[in-house]
Amino acid sequence: MFSFLFKLVTTACLITTLQACAVVAVAGAAVTVVATGVTIAAKTVGAVADVVLPDGNDD
């Protein structure tokens, strides 16, 4: 009986740990996707601003 209970508790702890790791991995991937999107948007806005706004150089 003790062996079964020990295996059950050990398995439950491992499953909980792995689930937490999966949640962190998914959250990290989501942050990476959002950061990439923000970077692309910022570069696009910067490029459009460079084209639209004069830089004061009339060469």
Side-chain angles (χ1 to χ4, degrees), residues 1-18:
M1 180 65 184
F2 177 74
S3 176
F4 173 74
L5 186 59
F6 179 74
K7 288 179 183 178
L8 182 66
V9 170
T10 304
T11 304
C13 289
L14 286 173
I15 289 173
T16 303
T17 304
L18 291 176

Side-chain angles (χ1 to χ4, degrees), residues 5-50:
L5 186 59
F6 179 74
K7 288 179 183 178
L8 182 66
V9 170
T10 304
T11 304
C13 289
L14 286 173
I15 289 173
T16 303
T17 304
L18 291 176
Q19 285 178 343
C21 184
V23 168
V24 169
V26 169
V31 168
T32 302
V33 168
V34 170
T36 302
V38 169
T39 302
I40 291 171
K43 287 182 179 181
T44 304
V45 169
V48 169
D50 285 342

